[in-house]
Amino acid sequence: MAKLKPRVPVREQPVEERIHNFDSVPYGYNEEEAIAEAQRCIQCPNPTCETACPVNIKIKDMIHFIAQKQFKEAFLLTKEDDAFPACTGRVCPQEDQCEGACILVKTGQPISIGKLEGFAADWARKNGIKEEIKVPSTSKPKKAAVVGSGPAGLACAADLRKYGYEVTMFETLHQAGGVLEYGIPNFRLPKDIVEYELDALEESGVEIKLNHTVGQNIGFDELQEEYDAIFLGTGAGAPRFMGIEGEKLNGVYSANEFLIRANLMKASLFPDWDTPIMVGDKVGVIGAGNVAMDAARTALRLGAKEVSIIYRRKMDFSPARAEEYEHAKEEGIIFQELVNPVKIVGTDRGWVKGVEVVNMKLGDKDSSGRPRPIPVEGTEHIIEIDTVIEALGTMPNRLFLSKAPELKTDRKGIIITDENLMTSIPGVFAGGDAISGGATVILALGEGRRAAKAMHDYIEGK
Amino acid sequence: MSHKITRKMDLNSADFYVEVEAPLVAERFKAGNFTILRSNPQGERIPMSIMKAEDGKIAMFIKKLGKTSMELYKTLDTFENVIGPMGNPIDIKKYGNVVVASDLVCGHAENYAICEALSAVEGNHVISYQTYPTADEVYPDEVLADKVCDEYHLTTEDGSRGEEGHYIDLLEERLEKGEKIDVIFAGGALPNLQELGEMTKAYNVPTIVTVRQIMVDASGMCGACRVFIDGEMKLACIDGPMFDAHKVDWESALRRPNMFVEKETVATKLCKETGRC
């Protein structure tokens, strides 16, 4: 066997430049780089990468096509299983999925599957290659409604359209895209990519109704009357707070608020754009997942002098994507591990001046399979910061649920579905974070697609 | 789709009236609901009280204060978005003797809407109090709540028109005399709503007030408008905007709206320099 070549590195924006802008950090592969990386793939007879992919993208053949310079074929093949490869190539936790299962992982040099997927999709976008959508023509098409325009809803709407439905999507905000727009920063997922996908969806005939909140300015009962089937992709958009003393102080944000201001409302362009954001000199982000990394790196780009991640475990146990953690480290984010906030302390004027933390040690494994952090008594001390961003995960949004009391949920508000993703209401389906409480973009895309098929079968009476 | 402004007029030296086409909001509006405005494609999302809704249009009272409102007042003839209705309407039912009180721009709009809704319910005696600092600052007759209530009190703090004094003091006099008031709805200046709550608590009168906070999405996603009611965190956008004045943590409710003051000053200054407002 020939000696294995190392991974083709991805060119990136230099650290000293990128911490002052919101442009994409990775530049992505060019054609030569993509081919060279694809040629490293040994084309396993049993591609474990594919089984490890939540939507089972035909990765082996995709890579083969790229190696053969058949980029269009690679893209179209990916699209068969993944509605938005340009997005998932950038935001999937590949090290836990395809790349983690790559046979070459043992050498420490698995194939850069995410970057190849992103390359194929970017190449198609730049070359005007689109998936051909044939909407079956029927004299009286059936109607489907999709509530929420995040990843699950988008994938569901795209497929419903392909089945020939008249699809209307309802979005509360003035911009479609859900978490892809309001949550994930441009430096990780450029918004022109999301908007390209939204345009394609509208071109295919899906109607997107912005500023429509189901339960608020259009009734859930009205939807049930008007549409043959409904998909709920209402996400898990509500912030979680720690519930500790001092959260009432000014200078305390949920990561949701901080990122919505920065991403959706473009606070980095203030005052040309109207929405302000206050970022102090010393920012502390509580939590260590992807959202925490996004918030920390956004704070840095908005001018904070020192940004810390405050985490009660060790970073080895963080759920963040490896690439984001690496980028955050390179950018100078400080990692304060094994400390847990107990209180936020403020100035006389009601502004944050620090967070009191207690040291933690790691105990036995908990339900998440990670060592349980245990407070070490008497180690309380104050970390001086003037802005707190709480990135502790999110919960399903109460607004819609309160207006649909007949919909069965669990105690946390997670919508309960059967094996076909149908909710307790016949003809009403759900997917994405609304049924998981918070997972990944790729899972949401997969569920959106699966629900579209189930809705089609339901309407056809199968 | 932008929304056409169909009428604008001065209300006094500080406030103006705007009427805008917003069929979706107008059709579903109930007293207590608010709308989210964006003035332009780069605009922020601002919660605004609604005075009335009819013929696919809504009317609002706006203070010429920040960048967005100044720009609206001076140069714009459309809104980028008029979203909603958001928030919860009040419970429109028979209460008996209802007082609706206000002393500031948004509060006056809410006053009109609540009076109109509750006076339509048989068995309610709706008493409206609208307090202004002085005669010159009283809004034009056509927008006062006298037309939509059973008993109207226009008051000025210096006594230059109507009754003299703030509605809080005038209500206290009535309560002191033993008059029965079943519920009070109030909106306007937050410190005064706190004071009102402190006053009515002694008389055990249910007091429901608008706790106006900064909002971004206004759909329960960001938590910017969090208020603490009886120690529990609530969101003004989806749990409010009206809460029991006796249970509100006023210290944080009064402080949080000032979180961005520094930035807002910068925006207004720049806007004025460039002639946009």
Side-chain angles (χ1 to χ4, degrees):
Chain A
M1 191 174 138
K3 192 169 174 288
L4 181 73
K5 286 182 188 163
R7 258 182 162 196
V8 176
V10 178
R11 288 166 293 108
E12 289 176 347
Q13 239 200 110
V15 172
E16 56 279 12
E17 274 176 36
R18 74 192 195 216
I19 58 169
H20 300 295
N21 67 53
F22 282 81
D23 298 340
S24 178
V25 170
Y27 291 128
Y29 284 147
N30 61 27
E31 292 187 15
E32 293 71 35
E33 289 164 336
I35 293 169
E37 180 62 14
Q39 284 173 344
R40 290 177 61 238
C41 174
I42 59 171
Q43 295 282 306
C44 307
N46 276 319
T48 42
C49 53
E50 295 183 8
T51 39
C53 170
V55 298
N56 309 118
I57 297 173
K58 298 177 226 21
I59 296 169
K60 179 180 161 181
D61 290 348
M62 172 193 87
I63 294 176
H64 180 71
F65 279 134
I66 294 175
Q68 302 300 312
K69 218 181 165 181
Q70 292 173 275
F71 305 135
K72 181 179 171 182
E73 288 75 8
F75 165 70
L76 293 175
L77 185 72
T78 316
K79 277 290 268 189
E80 287 179 14
D81 303 298
D82 179 346
F84 306 115
C87 299
T88 51
R90 288 172 166 86
V91 305
C92 267
Q94 284 92 4
E95 67 275 14
D96 298 327
Q97 301 174 350
C98 52
E99 294 178 19
C102 173
I103 193 102
L104 299 180
V105 84
K106 290 174 217 154
T107 67
Q109 301 281 328
I111 303 295
S112 261
I113 299 170
K115 292 287 182 281
L116 288 175
E117 182 192 9
F119 162 78
D122 291 351
W123 182 90
R125 190 171 70 253
K126 282 171 201 149
N127 289 281
I129 304 295
K130 285 184 183 177
E131 173 194 26
E132 201 184 327
I133 298 172
K134 288 190 202 115
V135 177
S137 61
T138 37
S139 56
K140 201 165 172 280
K142 295 262 171 82
K143 293 169 81 176
V146 173
V147 183
S149 68
L154 293 172
C156 186
D159 273 18
L160 286 169
R161 189 69 193 128
K162 288 179 204 161
Y163 288 124
Y165 294 96
E166 218 177 275
V167 185
T168 310
M169 190 169 226
F170 297 89
E171 166 57 46
T172 292
L173 294 173
H174 59 268
Q175 166 72 48
V179 72
L180 305 175
E181 279 284 340
Y182 76 73
I184 304 175
N186 198 73
F187 55 78
R188 197 146 82 80
L189 178 61
K191 296 307 153 226
D192 53 347
I193 293 177
V194 183
E195 276 142 35
Y196 174 84
E197 301 290 0
L198 291 170
D199 289 346
L201 198 66
E202 285 193 288
E203 271 169 39
S204 81
V206 171
E207 185 191 8
I208 304 179
K209 287 194 170 195
L210 301 173
N211 307 314
H212 278 67
T213 309
V214 176
Q216 199 74 30
N217 56 15
I218 178 159
F220 185 42
D221 52 342
E222 290 168 69
L223 289 194
Q224 291 179 73
E225 237 165 73
E226 191 176 340
Y227 295 90
D228 297 290
I230 299 171
F231 176 76
L232 304 174
T234 45
R240 213 189 284 262
F241 288 89
M242 282 183 294
I244 60 173
E245 195 182 324
E247 281 177 329
K248 297 171 187 174
L249 292 165
N250 283 356
V252 180
Y253 293 95
S254 70
N256 258 18
E257 179 184 352
F258 195 77
L259 291 172
I260 290 172
R261 284 181 182 274
N263 299 335
L264 178 72
M265 306 308 296
K266 309 268 187 290
S268 60
L269 301 175
F270 178 89
D272 287 336
W273 284 60
D274 293 346
T275 304
I277 199 163
M278 292 290 287
V279 182
D281 288 341
K282 288 182 167 190
V283 176
V285 179
I286 298 165
N290 284 319
V291 174
M293 300 299 142
D294 286 346
R297 297 170 67 201
T298 296
L300 194 70
R301 283 158 173 77
L302 288 169
K305 295 196 175 80
E306 196 179 292
V307 183
S308 303
I309 290 276
I310 297 169
Y311 188 35
R312 62 194 183 129
R313 303 180 203 255
K314 297 273 292 175
M315 280 309 289
D316 305 347
F317 303 106
S318 144
R321 281 181 91 224
E323 188 181 16
E324 308 321 322
Y325 178 39
E326 285 308 314
H327 285 159
K329 276 198 293 192
E330 288 167 12
E331 290 169 11
I333 303 293
I334 299 160
F335 291 86
Q336 310 227 31
E337 299 165 286
L338 292 173
V339 283
N340 196 37
V342 289
K343 182 161 87 175
I344 302 168
V345 287
T347 64
D348 298 341
R349 294 178 53 235
W351 266 88
V352 172
K353 69 170 182 187
V355 57
E356 187 183 313
V357 296
V358 61
N359 291 347
M360 306 296 273
K361 61 180 181 190
L362 295 178
D364 295 336
K365 283 184 182 173
D366 64 11
S367 58
S368 72
R370 298 175 293 178
R372 182 190 303 278
I374 304 163
V376 183
E377 259 179 68
T379 59
E380 288 81 3
H381 59 284
I382 289 185
I383 300 174
E384 279 183 30
I385 46 176
D386 50 18
T387 307
V388 173
I389 304 170
E390 297 193 22
L392 308 158
T394 51
M395 305 179 290
N397 195 329
R398 284 182 286 129
L399 177 58
F400 167 70
L401 296 175
S402 67
K403 307 294 166 84
E406 66 276 35
L407 192 67
K408 277 208 183 109
T409 64
D410 74 1
R411 231 167 8 94
K412 293 179 190 156
I414 292 168
I415 299 171
I416 295 168
T417 53
D418 66 13
E419 65 280 9
N420 293 320
L421 297 173
M422 189 153 85
T423 67
S424 56
I425 304 172
V428 178
F429 296 72
D433 283 359
I435 68 164
S436 66
T440 57
V441 168
I442 188 77
L443 278 174
L445 293 176
E447 282 161 3
R449 167 158 284 188
R450 215 149 61 75
K453 171 82 171 60
M455 290 163 82
H456 181 51
D457 289 347
Y458 172 84
I459 295 172
E460 298 282 294
K462 282 178 197 158
Chain B
M1 186 191 77
S2 63
H3 298 253
K4 197 173 157 209
I5 294 173
T6 50
R7 191 176 170 207
K8 249 193 256 190
M9 70 165 171
D10 280 316
L11 290 169
N12 62 18
S13 67
D15 310 334
F16 64 105
Y17 170 97
V18 178
E19 207 173 79
V20 62
E21 285 174 358
L24 198 63
V25 186
E27 190 191 326
R28 315 253 168 166
F29 168 73
K30 284 194 179 130
N33 286 138
F34 61 91
T35 178
I36 288 285
L37 300 178
R38 282 177 77 231
S39 60
N40 63 70
Q42 303 178 3
E44 58 186 327
R45 295 171 67 98
I46 297 177
M48 196 61 71
S49 299
I50 297 171
M51 174 216 172
K52 66 173 175 185
E54 60 187 10
D55 305 330
K57 289 181 283 193
I58 59 167
M60 294 167 285
F61 301 162
I62 302 179
K63 186 173 271 309
K64 293 176 254 173
L65 183 68
K67 186 219 159 193
T68 300
S69 57
M70 289 299 286
E71 197 180 23
L72 277 171
Y73 178 70
K74 291 218 171 154
T75 57
L76 298 182
D77 48 22
T78 58
F79 284 95
E80 177 69 13
N81 301 117
V82 182
I83 305 166
M86 305 309 284
N88 298 289
I90 58 160
D91 202 357
I92 299 165
K93 62 172 191 185
K94 182 184 156 189
Y95 292 93
N97 288 333
V98 183
V99 166
V100 187
S102 56
D103 62 359
L104 205 66
V105 54
C106 271
H108 291 318
E110 293 153 19
N111 193 318
Y112 189 101
I114 294 172
C115 283
E116 191 172 39
L118 293 184
S119 59
V121 179
E122 204 174 321
N124 279 336
H125 177 74
V126 180
I127 307 159
S128 172
Y129 276 85
Q130 292 191 296
T131 298
Y132 294 89
T134 183
D136 289 347
E137 298 298 321
V138 175
Y139 287 179
D141 286 346
E142 64 167 303
V143 299
L144 298 180
D146 57 341
K147 292 159 275 309
V148 286
C149 66
D150 302 301
E151 183 187 320
Y152 185 68
H153 299 265
L154 177 72
T155 91
T156 51
E157 293 183 79
D158 64 359
S160 52
R161 188 174 157 191
E163 293 165 51
E164 182 175 344
H166 193 276
Y167 72 77
I168 299 175
D169 302 320
L170 299 169
L171 281 175
E172 188 168 17
E173 282 170 26
R174 289 178 78 156
L175 289 167
E176 192 53 40
K177 280 185 208 151
E179 212 176 305
K180 186 172 166 290
I181 294 174
D182 295 295
V183 65
I184 298 173
F185 291 93
L190 282 179
N192 295 340
L193 295 174
Q194 177 185 14
E195 197 186 322
L196 171 71
E198 282 160 7
M199 186 276 282
T200 61
K201 199 168 184 178
Y203 297 93
N204 209 14
V205 181
T207 305
I208 300 162
V209 299
T210 305
V211 185
R212 202 176 153 73
Q213 297 289 310
I214 292 169
M215 295 181 187
V216 188
D217 63 282
S219 63
M221 283 172 55
C222 75
C225 66
R226 61 188 182 276
V227 290
F228 297 83
I229 308 296
D230 244 359
E232 200 185 332
M233 192 183 85
K234 296 281 181 193
L235 301 178
C237 65
I238 61 170
D239 298 314
M242 301 192 87
F243 294 99
D244 181 344
H246 301 156
K247 294 181 177 171
V248 175
D249 174 73
W250 285 104
E251 192 196 344
S252 63
L254 290 169
R255 189 173 56 219
R256 292 193 54 79
N258 298 323
M259 183 155 157
F260 299 94
V261 164
E262 207 180 291
K263 294 277 182 185
E264 283 154 9
T265 314
V266 171
T268 310
K269 185 166 172 273
L270 182 88
C271 183
K272 281 185 178 159
E273 282 167 8
T274 54
R276 281 161 71 194
C277 61

